[in-house]
Amino acid sequence: MASLDRNNKILLDLVKQPGNNLCADCQAPEPDWASYTLGVFVCLNCCGMHRNLPAISKVKSIRLDHWEDSLVEFMQQRGNSVVKALYEKCVPAFFYHPGPKDCGVLREQWIRAKYERREFTGENSMQRSYSSDQYESVLWKKGKNNKQYQRTIFLLSKTNFTLSYYIKDDCKGPKAVISMKDLNAVFQPEKISHVHGLWISYPQEDYTRNLFVYHEDGQEIVSFFNALRATRLAYLQRKHPSQQIHQLASQITTPIIKEGYMEKTGPTQKESFRKRWFCLCLRKRTLLYFKSPLDAAELGAVFLGSESHGYAVSESRSQSVRGSRWHCEIKLQTPKRHFVFRCEEEGDQREWLEAFRNVISQPMTPEDYAYEATHRRWR
């Protein structure tokens, strides 16, 4: 028992050291588990992924399980920083590093790529498919005007900086050719109702077009996602040749800050309130709204500038009015129009207020100014 207490205390001291104090795979703070075959400290969620690799990784709780002296000595010799230097030696700049809030398929494939497939050790010079100049994948895509998913061929080209897709094998030409300029992609398993669901969005004429896709194989959908990121990074490098890759990496794809249902009214604020699905995007600083979460195109959008340029958000408690069932009100002020939204619960209201303030508190970039000047206002 004394040995058990001593060894657990050593591990609890080790996990506080820089490098070890964050999960080796998703960077979650205060990991409570460790792989005693790899020598890394991991969080509970990533621990579950390691359990799926029994030939490579075996895990124990650093607080509750018994640790032999030899295993503790191995953990002292290794640790997250040492193992990272080996297994993440050659990670491409475009390859997505999942965080603690990312979906399971991203974290699982990141862990498998590192430890099972050893893709980043530099042991061989074989080019991974997602790094090639062209990448083809067959995915299931939701129809534009229906709920049916159709087998669709997607082709990425670094030469043309495009994503094309074909609805039939013998098509004479693509159904659409999409520029990498403002394309974004985010995993949305709950929204799409599939554990490998991916949401692709891009501007088309004067509105945002959405594609919802999935693949039954986790490795394939994540490889497609990283190939897409590789193609977009190639576009950004062409557009901004003087910027370093690490500066461009954060611009490849961006997460959705907040999304969910709110009620909205019209421009005079006398119209009936209608329930709509809203998405707040940090890229282009836009709030989009849709009739339903899986709409192919948005119904309207508004640009969110900064506080110093006349944008503000506030909360209030509204009285019951025609057409409105919800009463947790948010008022959004822009230089040309005031908007009123209503949330069902106070918790939703607080989250939306925080998300709006997160955007308008950030200074605008030169690209933001250019986008504001050309962006159409709320429809």
mmCIF file of all heavy atoms in Angstrom, residues 321-362:
data_model
loop_
_atom_site.group_PDB
_atom_site.id
_atom_site.type_symbol
_atom_site.label_atom_id
_atom_site.label_comp_id
_atom_site.label_asym_id
_atom_site.label_seq_id
_atom_site.Cartn_x
_atom_site.Cartn_y
_atom_site.Cartn_z
ATOM 1 N N VAL A 321 -45.722 39.694 -26.957
ATOM 2 C CA VAL A 321 -46.229 40.403 -28.129
ATOM 3 C C VAL A 321 -46.711 39.375 -29.149
ATOM 4 O O VAL A 321 -46.451 38.181 -29.033
ATOM 5 C CB VAL A 321 -45.146 41.302 -28.763
ATOM 6 C CG1 VAL A 321 -44.718 42.383 -27.808
ATOM 7 C CG2 VAL A 321 -43.947 40.477 -29.224
ATOM 8 N N ARG A 322 -47.377 39.853 -30.162
ATOM 9 C CA ARG A 322 -47.961 38.980 -31.167
ATOM 10 C C ARG A 322 -46.887 38.113 -31.845
ATOM 11 O O ARG A 322 -45.896 38.617 -32.341
ATOM 12 C CB ARG A 322 -48.669 39.844 -32.224
ATOM 13 C CG ARG A 322 -49.313 39.053 -33.354
ATOM 14 C CD ARG A 322 -50.252 39.957 -34.147
ATOM 15 N NE ARG A 322 -49.539 41.121 -34.678
ATOM 16 C CZ ARG A 322 -49.004 41.147 -35.900
ATOM 17 N NH1 ARG A 322 -49.099 40.094 -36.677
ATOM 18 N NH2 ARG A 322 -48.394 42.230 -36.332
ATOM 19 N N GLY A 323 -47.140 36.822 -31.855
ATOM 20 C CA GLY A 323 -46.266 35.904 -32.562
ATOM 21 C C GLY A 323 -45.039 35.464 -31.793
ATOM 22 O O GLY A 323 -44.274 34.645 -32.286
ATOM 23 N N SER A 324 -44.816 35.976 -30.584
ATOM 24 C CA SER A 324 -43.606 35.624 -29.847
ATOM 25 C C SER A 324 -43.939 34.766 -28.635
ATOM 26 O O SER A 324 -44.780 35.119 -27.822
ATOM 27 C CB SER A 324 -42.864 36.880 -29.385
ATOM 28 O OG SER A 324 -41.742 36.533 -28.606
ATOM 29 N N ARG A 325 -43.267 33.617 -28.546
ATOM 30 C CA ARG A 325 -43.441 32.743 -27.388
ATOM 31 C C ARG A 325 -42.297 32.908 -26.389
ATOM 32 O O ARG A 325 -42.389 32.451 -25.256
ATOM 33 C CB ARG A 325 -43.503 31.286 -27.845
ATOM 34 C CG ARG A 325 -44.680 30.973 -28.771
ATOM 35 C CD ARG A 325 -44.554 29.554 -29.307
ATOM 36 N NE ARG A 325 -43.334 29.416 -30.113
ATOM 37 C CZ ARG A 325 -42.759 28.245 -30.375
ATOM 38 N NH1 ARG A 325 -43.265 27.130 -29.871
ATOM 39 N NH2 ARG A 325 -41.673 28.195 -31.128
ATOM 40 N N TRP A 326 -41.203 33.519 -26.820
ATOM 41 C CA TRP A 326 -40.017 33.642 -25.976
ATOM 42 C C TRP A 326 -39.825 35.096 -25.562
ATOM 43 O O TRP A 326 -40.196 36.021 -26.290
ATOM 44 C CB TRP A 326 -38.785 33.152 -26.755
ATOM 45 C CG TRP A 326 -38.894 31.707 -27.170
ATOM 46 C CD1 TRP A 326 -39.784 30.786 -26.714
ATOM 47 C CD2 TRP A 326 -38.069 31.032 -28.123
ATOM 48 N NE1 TRP A 326 -39.588 29.571 -27.309
ATOM 49 C CE2 TRP A 326 -38.542 29.687 -28.184
ATOM 50 C CE3 TRP A 326 -36.999 31.410 -28.922
ATOM 51 C CZ2 TRP A 326 -37.952 28.736 -29.018
ATOM 52 C CZ3 TRP A 326 -36.417 30.462 -29.750
ATOM 53 C CH2 TRP A 326 -36.889 29.141 -29.791
ATOM 54 N N HIS A 327 -39.200 35.301 -24.389
ATOM 55 C CA HIS A 327 -39.164 36.651 -23.839
ATOM 56 C C HIS A 327 -37.782 37.119 -23.372
ATOM 57 O O HIS A 327 -37.670 38.205 -22.811
ATOM 58 C CB HIS A 327 -40.157 36.739 -22.665
ATOM 59 C CG HIS A 327 -41.527 36.255 -23.014
ATOM 60 N ND1 HIS A 327 -42.319 36.880 -23.945
ATOM 61 C CD2 HIS A 327 -42.229 35.167 -22.583
ATOM 62 C CE1 HIS A 327 -43.461 36.224 -24.062
ATOM 63 N NE2 HIS A 327 -43.423 35.171 -23.256
ATOM 64 N N CYS A 328 -36.741 36.299 -23.588
ATOM 65 C CA CYS A 328 -35.371 36.713 -23.228
ATOM 66 C C CYS A 328 -34.781 37.443 -24.429
ATOM 67 O O CYS A 328 -34.306 36.826 -25.380
ATOM 68 C CB CYS A 328 -34.533 35.506 -22.841
ATOM 69 S SG CYS A 328 -35.199 34.577 -21.447
ATOM 70 N N GLU A 329 -34.800 38.755 -24.374
ATOM 71 C CA GLU A 329 -34.555 39.578 -25.559
ATOM 72 C C GLU A 329 -33.098 40.024 -25.682
ATOM 73 O O GLU A 329 -32.429 40.295 -24.687
ATOM 74 C CB GLU A 329 -35.463 40.804 -25.500
ATOM 75 C CG GLU A 329 -35.568 41.570 -26.811
ATOM 76 C CD GLU A 329 -36.714 42.568 -26.773
ATOM 77 O OE1 GLU A 329 -37.852 42.160 -27.068
ATOM 78 O OE2 GLU A 329 -36.476 43.737 -26.442
ATOM 79 N N ILE A 330 -32.650 40.112 -26.916
ATOM 80 C CA ILE A 330 -31.323 40.647 -27.247
ATOM 81 C C ILE A 330 -31.506 41.745 -28.287
ATOM 82 O O ILE A 330 -32.203 41.550 -29.287
ATOM 83 C CB ILE A 330 -30.398 39.536 -27.817
ATOM 84 C CG1 ILE A 330 -30.110 38.482 -26.754
ATOM 85 C CG2 ILE A 330 -29.087 40.144 -28.330
ATOM 86 C CD1 ILE A 330 -29.315 37.298 -27.266
ATOM 87 N N LYS A 331 -30.865 42.876 -28.044
ATOM 88 C CA LYS A 331 -30.915 43.984 -28.993
ATOM 89 C C LYS A 331 -29.527 44.186 -29.588
ATOM 90 O O LYS A 331 -28.559 44.384 -28.858
ATOM 91 C CB LYS A 331 -31.398 45.260 -28.303
ATOM 92 C CG LYS A 331 -32.834 45.169 -27.812
ATOM 93 C CD LYS A 331 -33.306 46.467 -27.181
ATOM 94 C CE LYS A 331 -34.769 46.363 -26.746
ATOM 95 N NZ LYS A 331 -35.248 47.616 -26.111
ATOM 96 N N LEU A 332 -29.452 44.097 -30.897
ATOM 97 C CA LEU A 332 -28.193 44.268 -31.623
ATOM 98 C C LEU A 332 -28.253 45.557 -32.426
ATOM 99 O O LEU A 332 -29.152 45.751 -33.251
ATOM 100 C CB LEU A 332 -27.955 43.082 -32.553
ATOM 101 C CG LEU A 332 -26.710 43.132 -33.449
ATOM 102 C CD1 LEU A 332 -25.438 43.113 -32.610
ATOM 103 C CD2 LEU A 332 -26.714 41.966 -34.434
ATOM 104 N N GLN A 333 -27.314 46.427 -32.168
ATOM 105 C CA GLN A 333 -27.284 47.738 -32.828
ATOM 106 C C GLN A 333 -26.154 47.793 -33.844
ATOM 107 O O GLN A 333 -25.009 47.459 -33.540
ATOM 108 C CB GLN A 333 -27.095 48.846 -31.790
ATOM 109 C CG GLN A 333 -26.944 50.238 -32.373
ATOM 110 C CD GLN A 333 -26.687 51.285 -31.303
ATOM 111 O OE1 GLN A 333 -27.175 51.169 -30.185
ATOM 112 N NE2 GLN A 333 -25.894 52.293 -31.643
ATOM 113 N N THR A 334 -26.490 48.197 -35.075
ATOM 114 C CA THR A 334 -25.491 48.427 -36.110
ATOM 115 C C THR A 334 -25.665 49.868 -36.595
ATOM 116 O O THR A 334 -26.674 50.514 -36.283
ATOM 117 C CB THR A 334 -25.663 47.456 -37.291
ATOM 118 O OG1 THR A 334 -26.792 47.852 -38.071
ATOM 119 C CG2 THR A 334 -25.871 46.021 -36.797
ATOM 120 N N PRO A 335 -24.726 50.397 -37.349
ATOM 121 C CA PRO A 335 -24.851 51.791 -37.791
ATOM 122 C C PRO A 335 -26.110 52.074 -38.608
ATOM 123 O O PRO A 335 -26.596 53.204 -38.624
ATOM 124 C CB PRO A 335 -23.585 51.996 -38.634
ATOM 125 C CG PRO A 335 -22.598 51.025 -38.078
ATOM 126 C CD PRO A 335 -23.407 49.836 -37.698
ATOM 127 N N LYS A 336 -26.661 51.073 -39.288
ATOM 128 C CA LYS A 336 -27.794 51.331 -40.176
ATOM 129 C C LYS A 336 -29.106 50.701 -39.716
ATOM 130 O O LYS A 336 -30.154 50.992 -40.290
ATOM 131 C CB LYS A 336 -27.472 50.838 -41.587
ATOM 132 C CG LYS A 336 -26.376 51.654 -42.255
ATOM 133 C CD LYS A 336 -26.220 51.256 -43.712
ATOM 134 C CE LYS A 336 -25.153 52.112 -44.394
ATOM 135 N NZ LYS A 336 -25.012 51.764 -45.836
ATOM 136 N N ARG A 337 -29.056 49.831 -38.691
ATOM 137 C CA ARG A 337 -30.296 49.185 -38.281
ATOM 138 C C ARG A 337 -30.160 48.568 -36.895
ATOM 139 O O ARG A 337 -29.071 48.168 -36.488
ATOM 140 C CB ARG A 337 -30.681 48.096 -39.290
ATOM 141 C CG ARG A 337 -31.982 47.390 -38.943
ATOM 142 C CD ARG A 337 -32.398 46.401 -40.024
ATOM 143 N NE ARG A 337 -33.398 45.485 -39.512
ATOM 144 C CZ ARG A 337 -33.867 44.440 -40.174
ATOM 145 N NH1 ARG A 337 -33.439 44.186 -41.392
ATOM 146 N NH2 ARG A 337 -34.776 43.648 -39.644
ATOM 147 N N HIS A 338 -31.274 48.508 -36.177
ATOM 148 C CA HIS A 338 -31.333 47.821 -34.890
ATOM 149 C C HIS A 338 -32.093 46.508 -35.074
ATOM 150 O O HIS A 338 -33.137 46.484 -35.723
ATOM 151 C CB HIS A 338 -32.029 48.680 -33.840
ATOM 152 C CG HIS A 338 -31.231 49.893 -33.458
ATOM 153 N ND1 HIS A 338 -31.603 50.738 -32.440
ATOM 154 C CD2 HIS A 338 -30.081 50.404 -33.949
ATOM 155 C CE1 HIS A 338 -30.727 51.718 -32.323
ATOM 156 N NE2 HIS A 338 -29.793 51.529 -33.244
ATOM 157 N N PHE A 339 -31.583 45.442 -34.456
ATOM 158 C CA PHE A 339 -32.203 44.121 -34.564
ATOM 159 C C PHE A 339 -32.664 43.667 -33.192
ATOM 160 O O PHE A 339 -32.015 43.948 -32.179
ATOM 161 C CB PHE A 339 -31.209 43.108 -35.130
ATOM 162 C CG PHE A 339 -30.688 43.469 -36.490
ATOM 163 C CD1 PHE A 339 -29.514 44.195 -36.634
ATOM 164 C CD2 PHE A 339 -31.378 43.082 -37.622
ATOM 165 C CE1 PHE A 339 -29.037 44.532 -37.889
ATOM 166 C CE2 PHE A 339 -30.911 43.414 -38.889
ATOM 167 C CZ PHE A 339 -29.740 44.151 -39.020
ATOM 168 N N VAL A 340 -33.764 42.937 -33.172
ATOM 169 C CA VAL A 340 -34.301 42.375 -31.934
ATOM 170 C C VAL A 340 -34.455 40.868 -32.101
ATOM 171 O O VAL A 340 -35.114 40.409 -33.044
ATOM 172 C CB VAL A 340 -35.657 43.011 -31.559
ATOM 173 C CG1 VAL A 340 -36.211 42.345 -30.293
ATOM 174 C CG2 VAL A 340 -35.512 44.507 -31.344
ATOM 175 N N PHE A 341 -33.832 40.114 -31.196
ATOM 176 C CA PHE A 341 -33.937 38.660 -31.178
ATOM 177 C C PHE A 341 -34.471 38.220 -29.823
ATOM 178 O O PHE A 341 -34.289 38.919 -28.824
ATOM 179 C CB PHE A 341 -32.578 38.002 -31.427
ATOM 180 C CG PHE A 341 -31.834 38.539 -32.605
ATOM 181 C CD1 PHE A 341 -30.638 39.216 -32.445
ATOM 182 C CD2 PHE A 341 -32.332 38.366 -33.893
ATOM 183 C CE1 PHE A 341 -29.951 39.717 -33.533
ATOM 184 C CE2 PHE A 341 -31.649 38.859 -34.988
ATOM 185 C CZ PHE A 341 -30.455 39.546 -34.807
ATOM 186 N N ARG A 342 -35.081 37.061 -29.790
ATOM 187 C CA ARG A 342 -35.576 36.525 -28.530
ATOM 188 C C ARG A 342 -35.175 35.064 -28.367
ATOM 189 O O ARG A 342 -35.270 34.279 -29.316
ATOM 190 C CB ARG A 342 -37.097 36.683 -28.442
ATOM 191 C CG ARG A 342 -37.470 38.139 -28.221
ATOM 192 C CD ARG A 342 -38.942 38.372 -28.100
ATOM 193 N NE ARG A 342 -39.199 39.782 -27.818
ATOM 194 C CZ ARG A 342 -40.396 40.334 -27.802
ATOM 195 N NH1 ARG A 342 -41.464 39.592 -28.072
ATOM 196 N NH2 ARG A 342 -40.540 41.611 -27.521
ATOM 197 N N CYS A 343 -34.721 34.747 -27.152
ATOM 198 C CA CYS A 343 -34.275 33.397 -26.821
ATOM 199 C C CYS A 343 -35.297 32.735 -25.899
ATOM 200 O O CYS A 343 -36.028 33.409 -25.167
ATOM 201 C CB CYS A 343 -32.916 33.434 -26.124
ATOM 202 S SG CYS A 343 -31.620 34.258 -27.074
ATOM 203 N N GLU A 344 -35.297 31.408 -25.914
ATOM 204 C CA GLU A 344 -36.260 30.673 -25.099
ATOM 205 C C GLU A 344 -35.899 30.714 -23.621
ATOM 206 O O GLU A 344 -36.768 30.858 -22.761
ATOM 207 C CB GLU A 344 -36.343 29.225 -25.571
ATOM 208 C CG GLU A 344 -37.378 28.397 -24.842
ATOM 209 C CD GLU A 344 -37.524 26.994 -25.392
ATOM 210 O OE1 GLU A 344 -36.598 26.539 -26.110
ATOM 211 O OE2 GLU A 344 -38.548 26.356 -25.122
ATOM 212 N N GLU A 345 -34.601 30.578 -23.300
ATOM 213 C CA GLU A 345 -34.141 30.508 -21.924
ATOM 214 C C GLU A 345 -33.100 31.591 -21.653
ATOM 215 O O GLU A 345 -32.417 32.066 -22.576
ATOM 216 C CB GLU A 345 -33.523 29.134 -21.626
ATOM 217 C CG GLU A 345 -34.430 27.946 -21.916
ATOM 218 C CD GLU A 345 -35.541 27.817 -20.901
ATOM 219 O OE1 GLU A 345 -35.441 28.465 -19.832
ATOM 220 O OE2 GLU A 345 -36.496 27.057 -21.163
ATOM 221 N N GLU A 346 -32.946 31.956 -20.375
ATOM 222 C CA GLU A 346 -31.937 32.944 -19.997
ATOM 223 C C GLU A 346 -30.529 32.439 -20.281
ATOM 224 O O GLU A 346 -29.636 33.210 -20.620
ATOM 225 C CB GLU A 346 -32.092 33.310 -18.527
ATOM 226 C CG GLU A 346 -33.339 34.132 -18.221
ATOM 227 C CD GLU A 346 -33.413 34.549 -16.770
ATOM 228 O OE1 GLU A 346 -32.510 34.155 -15.988
ATOM 229 O OE2 GLU A 346 -34.357 35.269 -16.407
ATOM 230 N N GLY A 347 -30.324 31.108 -20.152
ATOM 231 C CA GLY A 347 -29.010 30.544 -20.462
ATOM 232 C C GLY A 347 -28.651 30.746 -21.919
ATOM 233 O O GLY A 347 -27.499 31.088 -22.238
ATOM 234 N N ASP A 348 -29.601 30.541 -22.821
ATOM 235 C CA ASP A 348 -29.362 30.793 -24.251
ATOM 236 C C ASP A 348 -29.053 32.265 -24.486
ATOM 237 O O ASP A 348 -28.166 32.613 -25.280
ATOM 238 C CB ASP A 348 -30.584 30.392 -25.073
ATOM 239 C CG ASP A 348 -30.856 28.899 -25.025
ATOM 240 O OD1 ASP A 348 -29.888 28.139 -24.864
ATOM 241 O OD2 ASP A 348 -32.031 28.511 -25.142
ATOM 242 N N GLN A 349 -29.795 33.128 -23.809
ATOM 243 C CA GLN A 349 -29.585 34.565 -23.956
ATOM 244 C C GLN A 349 -28.164 34.953 -23.548
ATOM 245 O O GLN A 349 -27.475 35.709 -24.249
ATOM 246 C CB GLN A 349 -30.610 35.319 -23.102
ATOM 247 C CG GLN A 349 -30.509 36.843 -23.186
ATOM 248 C CD GLN A 349 -31.365 37.519 -22.125
ATOM 249 O OE1 GLN A 349 -31.408 37.081 -20.968
ATOM 250 N NE2 GLN A 349 -32.067 38.573 -22.519
ATOM 251 N N ARG A 350 -27.694 34.416 -22.412
ATOM 252 C CA ARG A 350 -26.336 34.734 -21.941
ATOM 253 C C ARG A 350 -25.282 34.255 -22.934
ATOM 254 O O ARG A 350 -24.297 34.953 -23.209
ATOM 255 C CB ARG A 350 -26.091 34.097 -20.568
ATOM 256 C CG ARG A 350 -26.806 34.791 -19.420
ATOM 257 C CD ARG A 350 -26.285 34.309 -18.083
ATOM 258 N NE ARG A 350 -26.520 32.881 -17.887
ATOM 259 C CZ ARG A 350 -27.606 32.373 -17.320
ATOM 260 N NH1 ARG A 350 -28.570 33.185 -16.893
ATOM 261 N NH2 ARG A 350 -27.742 31.070 -17.158
ATOM 262 N N GLU A 351 -25.488 33.036 -23.472
ATOM 263 C CA GLU A 351 -24.510 32.502 -24.423
ATOM 264 C C GLU A 351 -24.456 33.329 -25.705
ATOM 265 O O GLU A 351 -23.375 33.584 -26.244
ATOM 266 C CB GLU A 351 -24.856 31.043 -24.747
ATOM 267 C CG GLU A 351 -24.626 30.093 -23.578
ATOM 268 C CD GLU A 351 -25.033 28.672 -23.914
ATOM 269 O OE1 GLU A 351 -25.430 28.422 -25.071
ATOM 270 O OE2 GLU A 351 -24.946 27.793 -23.019
ATOM 271 N N TRP A 352 -25.614 33.757 -26.204
ATOM 272 C CA TRP A 352 -25.631 34.581 -27.414
ATOM 273 C C TRP A 352 -25.006 35.945 -27.150
ATOM 274 O O TRP A 352 -24.235 36.462 -27.984
ATOM 275 C CB TRP A 352 -27.060 34.751 -27.932
ATOM 276 C CG TRP A 352 -27.514 33.625 -28.799
ATOM 277 C CD1 TRP A 352 -28.431 32.664 -28.501
ATOM 278 C CD2 TRP A 352 -27.043 33.325 -30.123
ATOM 279 N NE1 TRP A 352 -28.578 31.783 -29.549
ATOM 280 C CE2 TRP A 352 -27.737 32.167 -30.565
ATOM 281 C CE3 TRP A 352 -26.127 33.915 -30.976
ATOM 282 C CZ2 TRP A 352 -27.537 31.599 -31.823
ATOM 283 C CZ3 TRP A 352 -25.914 33.342 -32.235
ATOM 284 C CH2 TRP A 352 -26.619 32.200 -32.645
ATOM 285 N N LEU A 353 -25.300 36.539 -25.998
ATOM 286 C CA LEU A 353 -24.701 37.837 -25.667
ATOM 287 C C LEU A 353 -23.182 37.728 -25.604
ATOM 288 O O LEU A 353 -22.469 38.587 -26.136
ATOM 289 C CB LEU A 353 -25.248 38.339 -24.323
ATOM 290 C CG LEU A 353 -26.675 38.886 -24.336
ATOM 291 C CD1 LEU A 353 -27.196 39.025 -22.914
ATOM 292 C CD2 LEU A 353 -26.730 40.238 -25.050
ATOM 293 N N GLU A 354 -22.685 36.671 -24.968
ATOM 294 C CA GLU A 354 -21.238 36.469 -24.885
ATOM 295 C C GLU A 354 -20.628 36.292 -26.267
ATOM 296 O O GLU A 354 -19.553 36.830 -26.568
ATOM 297 C CB GLU A 354 -20.940 35.255 -24.010
ATOM 298 C CG GLU A 354 -19.458 34.973 -23.825
ATOM 299 C CD GLU A 354 -19.184 33.739 -22.983
ATOM 300 O OE1 GLU A 354 -20.155 33.140 -22.480
ATOM 301 O OE2 GLU A 354 -18.004 33.379 -22.834
ATOM 302 N N ALA A 355 -21.325 35.535 -27.137
ATOM 303 C CA ALA A 355 -20.814 35.302 -28.487
ATOM 304 C C ALA A 355 -20.784 36.595 -29.297
ATOM 305 O O ALA A 355 -19.793 36.894 -29.985
ATOM 306 C CB ALA A 355 -21.682 34.261 -29.196
ATOM 307 N N PHE A 356 -21.853 37.388 -29.230
ATOM 308 C CA PHE A 356 -21.874 38.675 -29.940
ATOM 309 C C PHE A 356 -20.760 39.590 -29.444
ATOM 310 O O PHE A 356 -20.056 40.233 -30.235
ATOM 311 C CB PHE A 356 -23.225 39.364 -29.749
ATOM 312 C CG PHE A 356 -24.339 38.791 -30.578
ATOM 313 C CD1 PHE A 356 -25.564 38.471 -30.005
ATOM 314 C CD2 PHE A 356 -24.181 38.564 -31.939
ATOM 315 C CE1 PHE A 356 -26.600 37.946 -30.768
ATOM 316 C CE2 PHE A 356 -25.207 38.036 -32.714
ATOM 317 C CZ PHE A 356 -26.421 37.726 -32.117
ATOM 318 N N ARG A 357 -20.606 39.667 -28.131
ATOM 319 C CA ARG A 357 -19.581 40.554 -27.556
ATOM 320 C C ARG A 357 -18.185 40.085 -27.916
ATOM 321 O O ARG A 357 -17.270 40.900 -28.067
ATOM 322 C CB ARG A 357 -19.775 40.632 -26.040
ATOM 323 C CG ARG A 357 -21.000 41.453 -25.644
ATOM 324 C CD ARG A 357 -21.389 41.272 -24.191
ATOM 325 N NE ARG A 357 -22.560 42.096 -23.857
ATOM 326 C CZ ARG A 357 -23.362 41.863 -22.831
ATOM 327 N NH1 ARG A 357 -23.123 40.826 -22.030
ATOM 328 N NH2 ARG A 357 -24.391 42.652 -22.594
ATOM 329 N N ASN A 358 -18.012 38.780 -28.049
ATOM 330 C CA ASN A 358 -16.717 38.239 -28.450
ATOM 331 C C ASN A 358 -16.321 38.758 -29.830
ATOM 332 O O ASN A 358 -15.143 39.063 -30.081
ATOM 333 C CB ASN A 358 -16.779 36.718 -28.459
ATOM 334 C CG ASN A 358 -15.468 36.076 -28.869
ATOM 335 O OD1 ASN A 358 -14.397 36.609 -28.636
ATOM 336 N ND2 ASN A 358 -15.543 34.920 -29.501
ATOM 337 N N VAL A 359 -17.297 38.887 -30.729
ATOM 338 C CA VAL A 359 -17.007 39.352 -32.087
ATOM 339 C C VAL A 359 -16.798 40.863 -32.117
ATOM 340 O O VAL A 359 -15.790 41.352 -32.638
ATOM 341 C CB VAL A 359 -18.148 38.966 -33.056
ATOM 342 C CG1 VAL A 359 -17.890 39.565 -34.442
ATOM 343 C CG2 VAL A 359 -18.260 37.451 -33.154
ATOM 344 N N ILE A 360 -17.733 41.634 -31.556
ATOM 345 C CA ILE A 360 -17.652 43.097 -31.688
ATOM 346 C C ILE A 360 -16.550 43.705 -30.827
ATOM 347 O O ILE A 360 -16.169 44.862 -31.035
ATOM 348 C CB ILE A 360 -19.005 43.769 -31.378
ATOM 349 C CG1 ILE A 360 -19.398 43.566 -29.915
ATOM 350 C CG2 ILE A 360 -20.084 43.242 -32.304
ATOM 351 C CD1 ILE A 360 -20.682 44.287 -29.547
ATOM 352 N N SER A 361 -16.003 42.934 -29.885
ATOM 353 C CA SER A 361 -14.892 43.447 -29.078
ATOM 354 C C SER A 361 -13.564 43.342 -29.816
ATOM 355 O O SER A 361 -12.573 43.964 -29.408
ATOM 356 C CB SER A 361 -14.803 42.689 -27.752
ATOM 357 O OG SER A 361 -14.472 41.326 -27.976
ATOM 358 N N GLN A 362 -13.521 42.578 -30.903
ATOM 359 C CA GLN A 362 -12.273 42.393 -31.640
ATOM 360 C C GLN A 362 -12.117 43.459 -32.710
ATOM 361 O O GLN A 362 -13.082 43.798 -33.412
ATOM 362 C CB GLN A 362 -12.249 41.006 -32.282
ATOM 363 C CG GLN A 362 -12.287 39.871 -31.274
ATOM 364 C CD GLN A 362 -12.094 38.520 -31.925
ATOM 365 O OE1 GLN A 362 -11.394 38.404 -32.917
ATOM 366 N NE2 GLN A 362 -12.711 37.483 -31.364
#
